[in-house]
Amino acid sequence: TPEVETAKPQGILGRMFGAEDAVVRRTLDDDMLEQLEELLISADMGVDTALRVTANMAEGRLGKKLSVPEIKQLMADEITRIMEPVARPMPLYAKKPQVVLVVGVNGAGKTTTIGKLASQFQATGKKVVIAAGDTFRAAAVEQLQVWGDRAGVPVLTAPEGSDPASLAFDAMTKAEADGADLLMIDTAGRLQNRADLMEELAKIVRVIRKKDPDAPHNTLLVLDATTGQNAIQQVKVFQQLADVSGLVMTKLDGTAKGGVLVALADQFGLPIHAIGVGEQIDDLAPFDPQEFAAALVG
Ligand code: GDP
């Protein structure tokens, strides 16, 4: 269906029913369920999750007549049910420094998310240190410094091409000396050579564990929500590379592509700590399943 560029992104059912009169009642039959399934799949929810949602919607209601708002509410409720268990903010521990390793492919929004998180933690009185662990991309280091300045947080850097693990070790030392509450470590995100990246991440973990055997306390995987089903593959890959403890989904502003979050929650059950809703420092929000489901359904 052609969409007007300027139109507000419509949700899944907004596209199916349009602005139809709320009093029209439709039979929840196999035809409709099939249609709903297709819509969910085209919204990046994946076949298994789409089937689960429609099966739950149909339970005890097959053949019943429902209004469009009722169908929307039913779908939103099922999506909310899947999302509620994963909507959890990043856990904070008494550890000083609490070490947060941030992983994800280049362009996912790691740098931006670290800047936003640093700003949020600062605002709650936490002392934060950032380590620019993607030492192979000078631009990434510069960008992280810009975010550090914005958030008012020190950013530790190392010369281009130097060992990220040794930077991580130095950052641990500085964070300890500064009495920092949180140390956020950015990492490289090039997947072209997975073996190298795995070794690099493993070495960072090994080295920081010399200072604290429990570190990293959180390993955040940053995912770009607009990459759709691709995000599923990224979770699988990064779970092999690192001990992923939670997700941040970026670029959920201005896109109706969020369906992949439901598939992620359904398949992996990893907590979604926060969502990126823009490019500015305050554009990081807690994940609200009900609001998300309502927007997705439309
Ligand atoms: P990195 O390579 O993973 O460090 O990714 P960056 O943090 O550099 O982000 C890549 C691009 O995505 C930049 O242009 C960011 O401004 C943009 N970006 C990051 N998060 C969001 C978000 O939540 N919403 C939008 N619209 N853009 C974002």
Side-chain angles (χ1 to χ4, degrees):
T1 46
E3 277 192 18
V4 188
E5 273 293 302
T6 50
K8 175 168 141 232
Q10 280 179 323
I12 296 167
L13 291 189
R15 281 194 291 268
M16 176 168 174
F17 294 116
E20 235 163 294
D21 192 349
V23 297
V24 177
R25 300 180 80 81
R26 294 154 179 280
T27 309
L28 188 66
D29 55 13
D30 288 335
D31 266 2
M32 180 189 283
L33 288 171
E34 212 167 294
Q35 256 183 306
L36 294 175
E37 254 161 53
E38 272 168 36
L39 285 167
L40 293 174
I41 291 166
S42 69
D44 288 324
M45 213 170 278
V47 176
D48 291 348
T49 308
L51 285 174
R52 188 169 354 271
V53 169
T54 52
N56 288 345
M57 286 176 73
E59 205 175 313
R61 293 182 195 90
L62 211 56
K64 290 221 165 105
K65 282 194 178 287
L66 300 171
S67 69
V68 170
E70 281 169 341
I71 296 167
K72 286 185 175 180
Q73 189 60 50
L74 203 52
M75 182 180 275
D77 287 348
E78 288 308 327
I79 292 172
T80 303
R81 218 145 60 104
I82 294 174
M83 303 313 283
E84 250 160 8
V86 302
R88 277 180 275 151
M90 188 181 91
L92 293 173
Y93 305 105
K95 283 282 182 176
K96 262 186 160 201
Q98 175 168 338
V99 183
V100 182
L101 194 65
V102 182
V103 301
V105 299
N106 290 342
K110 286 188 300 295
T111 309
T112 309
T113 300
I114 289 171
K116 291 171 178 176
L117 281 171
S119 166
Q120 281 192 357
F121 288 128
Q122 283 273 103
T124 63
K126 302 260 179 219
K127 200 164 178 183
V128 184
V129 172
I130 295 172
D134 187 358
T135 58
F136 288 89
R137 281 197 308 162
V141 174
E142 268 168 44
Q143 196 55 26
L144 201 51
Q145 261 169 328
V146 169
W147 278 105
D149 289 345
R150 276 181 200 147
V153 166
V155 179
L156 255 80
T157 63
E160 199 176 340
S162 58
D163 181 14
S166 109
L167 173 70
F169 189 82
D170 292 347
M172 279 296 275
T173 309
K174 173 161 172 64
E176 278 173 351
D178 286 3
D181 298 292
L182 282 153
L183 167 62
M184 289 199 278
I185 304 176
D186 189 18
T187 62
R190 51 187 189 291
L191 282 185
Q192 295 87 332
N193 193 333
R194 264 179 227 182
D196 280 358
L197 185 53
M198 185 185 280
E199 179 46 38
E200 189 171 310
L201 292 172
K203 196 171 167 194
I204 291 173
V205 168
R206 235 171 16 241
V207 152
I208 56 180
R209 282 190 180 155
K210 287 186 184 166
K211 295 253 177 204
D212 180 348
D214 296 330
H217 305 90
N218 315 82
T219 300
L220 301 189
L221 172 58
V222 177
L223 295 171
D224 176 345
T226 67
T227 60
Q229 283 281 304
N230 218 321
I232 305 274
Q233 193 52 33
Q234 287 177 26
V235 173
K236 287 182 182 160
V237 168
F238 276 96
Q239 278 192 320
Q240 288 167 0
L241 299 180
D243 194 6
V244 176
S245 62
L247 308 176
V248 175
M249 300 297 306
T250 66
K251 308 183 199 183
L252 271 169
D253 46 307
T255 167
K257 279 276 182 183
V260 71
L261 269 74
V262 188
L264 287 170
D266 196 31
Q267 280 193 40
F268 301 102
L270 284 165
I272 299 174
H273 294 319
I275 58 169
V277 292
E279 298 187 87
Q280 305 302 313
I281 201 156
D282 292 327
D283 293 333
L284 188 77
F287 179 64
D288 180 333
Q290 234 168 328
E291 196 182 298
F292 168 82
L296 189 63
V297 171

